[in-house]
Amino acid sequence: MPPSKRFALVAGETSGDLLAGLLLGGLRQRWPDLQSFGIGGPQMAGHGFDAWWPSEKLAVRGYVEVLRHYREIVGIRSQLQQRLLTTDRPDVFIGVDAPDFNLDLEAQLRTNGVRTVHFVCPSIWAWRAERVEKIRRSADHVLCIFPFEPELLARHGIAATYVGHPLADVIPLAPDRAAARARLGLSNEDEVVAILPGSRASEVQYLAARFFSAAALMQRERPGLRFVVPAVPALKERIEEAGRAAGLGSALIVTAGQSHTVLAACDVTLIASGTATLEAALFKRPMVIAYNMNWLSWQIMRRKQLQPWVGLPNILCNEFVVPELLQDAATPRALSSAVLEWLDAPAKIQALQQKFTALHETLRKDTALLATDAIKQVLES
């Protein structure tokens, strides 16, 4: 049996927890008695991960929002760094996404002789290109989930491996809509809109009310519509309250988690920009991507944007295959109209599904095996 390994991981939010959980599954196949610890969530815990802090502690997006939690986040990073360099030194540290937290931590650990891997290349091709220098200082190796990234990193002297996107291997090429609807108590005849206002408290704060106001407008035009929201358990009560305030009544179903079931079941989704948009694309669902944040954070972020697209499906397809309504453009009326347009465009949906199927096949690799092979090489280097 291969010798026991000690891996430290940090995943900063729901999507990172999902990616890290998939990675841990592969690592445990290679090293069955693996010890893993750090910052993570329930998906990681399911693989025996010892979470010293929950991933929700780092689930903050936006410059102003981060400032409000800055002292706590820096305190956690300082304590974690101290522990990893003294009492719980790992064989390798794997930072899963969360680059603002992980890259600085990786740089300190690497300086002190700990091997470091960063899983998910920061979006230097979309915004904040200056971050490439920090990646070079911080990571011995980068695991990339998009095929064009290793070549881009190689130009800057950064070792990287394309491992595919873990979600593309988990989500079936042909999702079973009928089975998903049965699990949610929906009929095959229902017209279903999935509403995903984000997994962070700040996202729910800025998006939930306008998403539900848009749903109320849709309901007036199409009274038979059903709305399903897969809520992060910690935010479920808050989301239910926003749904009640919008007067959606029995047309609204709020589930604890189950985002994949909801995406498989829906006809169209109104969705916050982020990893969930790629999940929706892999489920071959039409969508309207929206985002709204603190005004100052938005002004800073838009100045650093390098591409005309924000949503991952549009970035990966290199065109606006789905609409994006951001900041002031994300009004309830505009969101409602954009979602309803999809419901009346079956030919457009079919063309979109063909694009998403091709994208799915490109991203579909044995991610756990490829990532584990790359990590093994880092350990042996």
Side-chain angles (χ1 to χ4, degrees), residues 193-256:
V193 178
I195 296 179
L196 281 77
S199 59
R200 304 176 181 93
S202 59
E203 289 174 327
V204 171
Q205 174 188 345
Y206 282 99
L207 291 172
R210 68 182 62 213
F211 276 20
F212 287 132
S213 294
L217 292 172
M218 292 181 229
Q219 190 182 38
R220 283 181 210 160
E221 292 199 36
R222 293 170 106 103
L225 280 180
R226 304 295 302 277
F227 303 95
V228 188
V229 186
V232 174
L235 300 173
K236 185 171 183 284
E237 186 175 333
R238 188 169 171 181
I239 287 172
E240 287 173 333
E241 187 177 309
R244 284 193 296 270
L248 293 172
S250 61
L252 177 66
I253 300 171
V254 181
T255 67

Side-chain angles (χ1 to χ4, degrees), residues 184-368:
L184 296 171
L186 297 165
S187 77
N188 287 330
E189 290 71 40
D190 285 329
E191 278 192 318
V192 180
V193 178
I195 296 179
L196 281 77
S199 59
R200 304 176 181 93
S202 59
E203 289 174 327
V204 171
Q205 174 188 345
Y206 282 99
L207 291 172
R210 68 182 62 213
F211 276 20
F212 287 132
S213 294
L217 292 172
M218 292 181 229
Q219 190 182 38
R220 283 181 210 160
E221 292 199 36
R222 293 170 106 103
L225 280 180
R226 304 295 302 277
F227 303 95
V228 188
V229 186
V232 174
L235 300 173
K236 185 171 183 284
E237 186 175 333
R238 188 169 171 181
I239 287 172
E240 287 173 333
E241 187 177 309
R244 284 193 296 270
L248 293 172
S250 61
L252 177 66
I253 300 171
V254 181
T255 67
Q258 302 187 70
S259 62
H260 284 190
T261 301
V262 171
L263 287 171
C266 75
D267 293 296
V268 61
T269 177
L270 174 57
I271 191 166
S273 178
T275 302
T277 62
L278 180 60
E279 294 176 74
L282 294 173
F283 276 101
K284 323 300 181 299
R285 298 300 180 250
M287 70 192 82
V288 175
I289 297 173
Y291 212 78
N292 187 272
M293 56 171 33
N294 175 279
W295 181 86
L296 181 57
S297 293
W298 169 251
Q299 296 303 318
I300 296 170
M301 287 187 71
R302 69 187 300 192
R303 287 181 172 86
K304 293 177 177 285
Q305 187 178 340
L306 301 177
Q307 299 193 47
W309 315 284
V310 169
L312 279 170
N314 291 334
I315 289 171
L316 293 171
C317 292
N318 214 38
E319 61 177 305
F320 279 105
V321 294
V322 298
E324 296 180 2
L325 295 169
L326 309 174
Q327 207 63 10
D328 293 341
T331 65
R333 175 62 64 187
L335 297 172
S336 169
S337 297
V339 171
L340 291 177
E341 277 183 32
W342 278 120
L343 292 174
D344 294 321
K348 189 177 174 184
I349 289 174
Q350 187 175 17
L352 181 72
Q353 289 171 336
Q354 290 174 356
K355 289 180 184 291
F356 284 167
T357 298
L359 174 62
H360 196 153
E361 289 169 344
T362 300
L363 298 178
R364 197 177 196 187
K365 303 290 180 185
D366 190 339
T367 299

Side-chain angles (χ1 to χ4, degrees), residues 12 23 45 59 86 108 127 132 149 177 213 238 249 302 308 366 378:
L23 176 61
T86 54
Q108 291 298 319
W127 72 302
V132 71
E149 292 173 328
R177 177 179 297 188
S213 294
R238 188 169 171 181
R302 69 187 300 192
D366 190 339
V378 171

Side-chain angles (χ1 to χ4, degrees), residues 24 49 51 54 102 136 159 162 164 177 251 327-328:
L24 280 169
F49 183 80
N102 278 325
R136 181 160 49 194
Y162 173 53
R177 177 179 297 188
Q327 207 63 10
D328 293 341

Side-chain angles (χ1 to χ4, degrees), residues 119-140:
F119 184 25
V120 182
C121 176
S123 303
I124 53 174
W125 34 266
W127 72 302
R128 290 185 67 172
E130 75 278 2
R131 193 180 255 168
V132 71
E133 295 303 323
K134 182 178 281 190
I135 299 169
R136 181 160 49 194
R137 291 194 306 271
S138 303
D140 286 304

